[in-house]
Amino acid sequence: MPLDRAPRTSPTAVSTPRALLTVSGGDRRGVTARLFAALAAPGGELPPVEVVDVEQVVVHGQLVLGVVVGALPAEGGPVEECRFLAALERLAAEVAEATGVRVEVESAADAGLDAAPEGRPHHVILLGRPVPPEAVAGAAAAIAGIGGNIEAIRRLSDYPVTSFELTVSGTEATELRTALASVASTSGADIAVEQVGLARRSKRLIVLDVDSTLVRGEVIDELAARAGRAAEVARITAAAMNGELDFAQSLRARVAALEGLPVEVLDEVRETLVLTPGARTLIRTLKRLGFRCGIVSGGFTQITDPLAEQLGLDFAAANTLEVADGRLTGGLVGEIVDRAGKARALVRFADRYGIPLDQTVAVGDGANDLDMLNAAGLGIAFNAKPYVREQAHTALNQPYLDAVLQVLGFTRDEVLDAV
């Protein structure tokens, strides 16, 4: 129960006693009303109280309700804690007898509610198909190992991936990500970390890489296959995506291998493109939530512009293949959209719509995406190479692009409502 959110002060700052009432048992109508009616009843041994914090959840028919109450200053002087707790215990017994649930009472100090946790709270999102128990166990142990505390857990989705969101206090983002990285690698689950706050739900623009992110495979590899240079180009592509080659140089080398291809081949390849599962759901959902959505690609405008139009995207940036006499020349025209160019495109699109960079999201898989991923408010490495996963804000290794929605904190029900 995340009931230590309100009392962030030290014990000396609390001038009147506080207590935690925990209600548990089979859920039934009227339990909450009965408890608060008893707390509000005038007269009796219990002094007037204020509600400091409250949290309620029903899990498969079982109710857990936590209420933190504080004694209001009395006219006759300070309220004694022991008398306050004794009165609450008698009230709890009466409520329990009337409703058939358990009602326990603890002082705020014994419940640990007067301690002020260090560090800002964070969300830890666990995703998998399924999420194995060892992932939850490992994450919980890692969080405890660095002095963190799990305040709440909720399920975000059960399809296309299962995902759970843990609210964690008492630790910082860097140490939390470091501690959870080994858990993700050993358990096979994806684990993302985001700071709790308005910034998470204030994201308003998303930029997606195209090859191996929005669509399956690499377009230039398909073109190279038609030019009979597939093996050569594949080697250059792999080296570039792993950060072993400068992207601009590798791009020019690969494009040179396409010299002489008929321009009609571009249409053929575009018609064979397969969207990554969940791509349409991600874009449709975010657009209905008011996001600006676009693509930034190291590929080619002859492919990406029609794709952007087909998906109803707001913007697109990519390289342009040079064409002469109906054939590819093996060259490029205009500015090269390389690693730095992708980051510039993100900034340009954010400026166009008046959206601060910390309210943007970028998703990509290659080393040439890293500047863009790190410039965005949230950079997500999607089925990326290890070199990229290690440097991005967070990583997703699920085959579904709409799992990005859970990283952003949207539940499955919210996604269905937006469709």
Side-chain angles (χ1 to χ4, degrees):
M1 300 290 293
L3 292 170
D4 63 341
R5 289 199 301 265
R8 294 288 184 184
T9 56
S10 64
T12 58
V14 180
S15 58
T16 57
R18 288 179 174 178
L20 167 65
L21 289 83
T22 304
V23 179
S24 59
D27 185 36
R28 63 201 68 189
R29 293 179 180 178
V31 173
T32 303
R34 180 68 178 81
L35 174 65
F36 280 93
L39 290 170
E45 298 181 11
L46 183 68
V49 301
E50 63 172 332
V51 178
V52 177
D53 200 1
V54 61
E55 189 89 12
Q56 177 172 315
V57 64
V58 176
V59 181
H60 294 289
Q62 293 298 305
L63 167 70
V64 179
L65 166 63
V67 182
V68 178
V69 295
L72 292 172
E75 293 183 3
V79 178
E80 294 182 6
E81 183 176 31
C82 59
R83 295 182 62 184
F84 177 63
L85 293 174
L88 281 176
E89 287 172 354
R90 284 188 284 274
L91 177 148
E94 293 172 1
V95 172
E97 183 177 359
T99 60
V101 296
R102 295 180 297 278
V103 185
E104 301 174 340
V105 178
E106 291 181 274
S107 70
D110 291 343
L113 302 182
D114 287 339
E118 298 179 359
R120 301 186 66 175
H122 290 81
H123 293 303
V124 173
I125 304 97
L126 277 66
L127 306 96
R129 290 186 312 140
V131 175
E134 54 267 28
V136 182
I143 291 166
I146 58 174
N149 180 58
I150 299 174
E151 297 186 349
I153 302 176
R154 65 167 180 155
R155 187 181 70 177
L156 293 177
S157 66
D158 58 4
Y159 179 87
V161 298
T162 300
S163 60
F164 300 98
E165 178 185 83
L166 287 62
T167 302
V168 177
S169 63
T171 184
E172 297 295 342
T174 300
E175 63 178 341
L176 192 55
R177 288 192 177 99
T178 301
L180 293 171
S182 60
V183 178
S185 63
T186 56
S187 68
D190 288 337
I191 304 179
V193 176
E194 286 197 76
Q195 187 170 291
V196 171
L198 292 177
R200 187 186 192 201
R201 284 297 186 100
S202 68
K203 300 292 190 296
R204 298 164 53 201
L205 180 147
I206 188 168
V207 168
L208 300 164
D209 174 44
V210 176
D211 294 336
S212 299
T213 300
L214 182 63
V215 303
R216 290 178 166 178
E218 298 283 332
V219 167
I220 198 166
D221 290 346
E222 295 296 325
L223 294 173
R226 286 164 169 77
R229 309 278 292 274
E232 173 189 346
V233 168
R235 285 193 297 270
I236 300 173
T237 299
M241 291 299 100
N242 284 320
E244 299 167 9
L245 289 177
D246 172 79
F247 179 81
Q249 292 178 337
S250 69
L251 177 64
R252 292 187 185 280
R254 287 176 287 169
V255 169
L258 306 180
E259 182 180 1
L261 272 180
V263 71
E264 291 80 13
V265 170
L266 294 171
D267 296 328
E268 296 173 8
V269 169
R270 187 174 61 248
E271 291 173 1
T272 65
L273 291 180
V274 177
L275 290 174
T276 299
R280 290 186 185 276
T281 299
L282 173 67
I283 293 169
R284 181 172 59 245
T285 302
L286 291 181
K287 286 185 70 66
R288 291 189 177 180
L289 292 171
F291 271 63
R292 295 290 184 175
C293 303
I295 50 179
V296 176
S297 174
F300 312 114
T301 58
Q302 289 93 336
I303 301 291
T304 59
D305 285 353
L307 182 62
E309 183 177 358
Q310 172 191 342
L311 295 173
L313 300 179
D314 298 295
F315 53 85
N319 298 293
T320 300
L321 293 166
E322 185 179 52
V323 179
D325 299 325
R327 293 184 178 273
L328 303 186
T329 67
L332 296 165
V333 295
E335 179 185 356
I336 298 296
V337 180
D338 55 6
R339 175 169 170 166
K342 285 193 168 190
R344 288 195 298 270
L346 168 64
V347 172
R348 185 168 68 250
F349 292 132
D351 286 345
R352 176 189 300 178
Y353 297 107
I355 297 174
L357 280 178
D358 63 3
Q359 294 181 9
T360 66
V361 181
V363 185
D365 73 301
N368 64 318
D369 295 311
L370 275 172
D371 288 2
M372 178 177 74
L373 297 182
N374 290 322
L378 175 63
I380 302 174
F382 181 74
N383 289 316
K385 317 301 184 291
Y387 174 81
V388 180
R389 291 200 304 268
E390 292 167 2
Q391 298 187 54
H393 297 147
T394 193
L396 274 177
N397 295 307
Q398 304 302 322
Y400 304 104
L401 196 55
D402 51 343
V404 168
L405 294 167
Q406 276 68 68
V407 176
L408 294 175
F410 296 109
T411 67
R412 178 66 180 169
D413 288 343
E414 289 172 324
V415 173
L416 292 175
D417 288 342
V419 171

